[in-house]
């Protein structure tokens, strides 16, 4: 297994790209500015736990686009250029390539999130805020996990497609489906069922579970259940934050695993 060599090389190449610096800089800027503005926005007790609920909306939009844009060309660009065949002629397996690329690019996203959330935590606490260390550590962990999920989706598109254009289209399809369209579809279904008199303004628990499968909503359930003391998770047991933990794990392993099965058996020509 030589995935660590590939991960180090990919890390070095990724952080040196100008587009990567812009993407990660935007992500860090939004997190830090939100933390700076949070104590200025009202009254009450300012805590790092409540800050998680404030910044959650920005993260569910920015982290997915950063993840898929960093991940979509991880493998397919080398496949198009023929460099992938050269890599596989060395003592590297296809699993090494995929795992190394994932660790390299997810590591870049992780470093950015950890650093910017550390600065954000300081801005929330200083001078009048309150640090809730366990809750905030959990939030940082969930956010890094969320970044890994979307980087994995981007890399899954990269190994499932045969050209960069197709990989980009596939990665952006998942971004628009889950980040831009999903809530509108859920609201439309709720409105239609309410108009038909089948529900009273709220979807039944099984449908809430189905629409709650989207990664951002799972991330929200974890934040509400484990981090933000001002929020609660209501509904049936399968809507709980503990089930959300399982769903988060499936989102991390599922897309990448399914795409790898196709990549491992496919022809690289």
């Amino acid at each position: 297994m030589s995935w660590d060599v590939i991960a180090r090389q990919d890390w070095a190449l990724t952080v040196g790209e100008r587009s990567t610096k812009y993407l990660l800089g935007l992500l860090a800027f939004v997190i830090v500015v939100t933390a700076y503005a949070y104590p200025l926005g009202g009254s009450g007790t300012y805590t790092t736990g409540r800050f998680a609920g404030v910044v959650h909306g920005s993260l569910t939009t920015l982290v997915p686009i950063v993840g898929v844009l960093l991940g979509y060309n991880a493998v397919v660009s080398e496949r198009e250029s023929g460099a992938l065949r050269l890599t596989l002629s060395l003592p590297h397996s296809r699993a090494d390539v995929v795992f190394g690329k994932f660790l390299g690019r997810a590591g870049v996203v992780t470093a950015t999130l950890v650093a910017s959330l550390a600065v954000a935590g300081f801005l929330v606490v200083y001078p009048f805020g309150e640090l809730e260390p366990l809750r905030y550590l959990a939030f940082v962990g969930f956010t890094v996990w969320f970044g890994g999920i979307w980087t994995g989706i981007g890399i899954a598109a990269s190994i499932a497609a045969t050209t960069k254009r197709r990989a980009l289209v596939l990665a952006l399809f998942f971004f628009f489906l889950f980040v831009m369209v999903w809530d509108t579809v859920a609201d439309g279904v709720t409105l239609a069922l309410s108009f038909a008199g089948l529900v009273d303004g709220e979807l039944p628990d099984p449908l809430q579970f189905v629409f709650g499968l989207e990664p951002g909503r799972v991330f929200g359930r974890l934040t509400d259940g484990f981090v933000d003391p001002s929020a609660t998770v209501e509904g049936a047991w399968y809507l709980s934050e503990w089930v959300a933990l399982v769903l988060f794990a499936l989102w991390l392993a599922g897309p990448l695993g399914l795409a790898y099965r196709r990549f491992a058996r496919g022809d690289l020509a």
Side-chain angles (χ1 to χ4, degrees), residues 17 19 68-69 71-81 105 154 157-172:
E17 294 180 358
S19 59
V68 297
L69 289 180
Y72 88 91
N73 67 348
V75 177
V76 74
S77 59
E78 295 186 7
R79 186 173 185 168
E80 276 191 325
S81 68
R105 309 222 169 190
S158 188
I159 62 178
T162 55
T163 67
K164 283 181 67 175
R165 177 176 295 182
R166 291 177 182 174
L168 178 60
V169 170
L170 187 58
L172 291 180

Side-chain angles (χ1 to χ4, degrees), residues 118-140:
V119 175
F122 174 79
L123 291 175
V124 171
V125 172
Y126 182 81
F128 303 116
E130 179 183 338
L131 175 64
E132 296 172 309
L134 292 181
R135 290 180 182 274
Y136 200 58
L137 283 175
F139 178 63
V140 173

Side-chain angles (χ1 to χ4, degrees), residues 184-211:
T184 303
V185 173
D187 292 341
V189 171
T190 304
L191 185 62
L193 293 178
S194 298
F195 184 76
L198 299 177
V199 300
D200 186 18
E202 188 175 82
L203 291 174
D205 287 347
L207 277 179
Q208 287 191 40
F209 176 76
V210 172
F211 284 109

Side-chain angles (χ1 to χ4, degrees), residues 177-190:
L177 174 64
F178 290 131
V179 179
M180 308 300 289
V181 177
W182 197 260
D183 286 346
T184 303
V185 173
D187 292 341
V189 171
T190 304

Side-chain angles (χ1 to χ4, degrees), residues 73-113:
N73 67 348
V75 177
V76 74
S77 59
E78 295 186 7
R79 186 173 185 168
E80 276 191 325
S81 68
L84 183 59
R85 283 177 171 273
L86 178 61
T87 300
L88 293 176
S89 69
L90 300 172
H92 302 308
S93 67
R94 297 190 187 195
D96 293 335
V97 171
V98 173
F99 195 46
K101 292 284 186 181
F102 172 73
L103 287 183
R105 309 222 169 190
V108 173
V109 177
T110 296
T112 302
L113 288 172

